[in-house]
Amino acid sequence: MHENEPAVTGVFPDMLWFEDFTVGQVFKYGDWEMRREEMIAFAKLYDPEPFHLDEAAAVAQGWGGLIASGPQVAAIWRRLSKEAFPNANTVISPGWDNIRWLKPVFAGDRLSARTEIAEMRELGSRPGEGMIKLQNEMRRQGDEVVSTLNSTWFVRRNPT
């Protein structure tokens, strides 16, 4: 992704249809505070590694403190993206690719997202829908990238 392109920031209630998006658009959105208790609760259910559950174990393993589970960070991106595009006529996501956790996420970090529209095409197999491929980054305060993932949306086309 490019660092110097203009970005639209905030919440995007007017992004409804496939035609409202264009390749190269960049969106910045979200503000999520990582809370220790939520990090531990998520890890207990889904990723019970010692460095996600216990501060002392994380420090002993060289992490500098309790770190969030990568799947939790990805799930937070999903939540932020739904909040940022509350009215988008998405149908389904056929998947995520190239998920990378680049830096540890600690309690107290504030996460936000950056999304670039990478590719778009009409879907012949699903009339009335288009496919949008997104390149996403999760960033912490100071704009430091902590994780990346590519996602795909099927979005309804404007019937008018």
Side-chain angles (χ1 to χ4, degrees):
M1 289 198 228
H2 309 291
E3 289 298 320
N4 295 322
E5 76 289 297
V8 182
T9 303
V11 176
F12 317 101
D14 296 333
M15 304 302 287
L16 304 176
W17 308 103
F18 175 78
E19 293 81 4
D20 294 327
F21 296 90
T22 58
V23 171
Q25 280 178 307
V26 176
F27 303 92
K28 292 183 178 181
Y29 52 91
D31 181 25
W32 188 278
E33 182 180 354
M34 297 302 295
R35 293 190 170 93
R36 184 179 190 283
E37 302 77 26
E38 291 173 359
M39 291 165 56
I40 292 171
F42 185 96
K44 281 181 181 178
L45 282 172
Y46 305 110
D47 196 358
E49 294 288 347
F51 42 84
H52 298 320
L53 297 168
D54 181 271
E55 184 92 22
V59 170
Q61 292 183 18
W63 291 108
L66 186 76
I67 61 172
S69 168
Q72 181 182 20
V73 173
I76 290 167
W77 167 78
R78 177 60 191 112
R79 170 71 181 265
L80 294 177
S81 71
K82 182 59 183 171
E83 290 175 355
F85 301 95
N87 300 321
N89 284 298
T90 56
V91 179
I92 194 167
S93 172
W96 298 354
D97 297 305
N98 301 314
I99 300 170
R100 299 288 180 262
W101 297 291
L102 306 173
K103 307 247 176 165
V105 173
F106 300 99
D109 280 350
R110 295 195 80 84
L111 301 181
S112 62
R114 180 188 178 286
T115 294
E116 181 174 344
I117 306 299
E119 180 184 334
M120 296 178 62
R121 68 178 170 85
E122 296 176 25
L123 292 172
S125 62
R126 296 175 68 103
E129 296 176 18
M131 180 193 70
I132 301 176
K133 291 195 174 199
L134 313 168
Q135 294 177 335
N136 308 288
E137 296 177 342
M138 288 295 283
R139 296 174 177 219
R140 76 167 126 230
Q141 63 278 359
D143 221 25
E144 181 179 23
V145 178
V146 296
S147 71
T148 59
L149 68 97
N150 297 335
S151 60
T152 303
W153 288 347
F154 289 177
V155 180
R156 287 190 176 89
R157 303 204 55 217
N158 191 334
T160 60

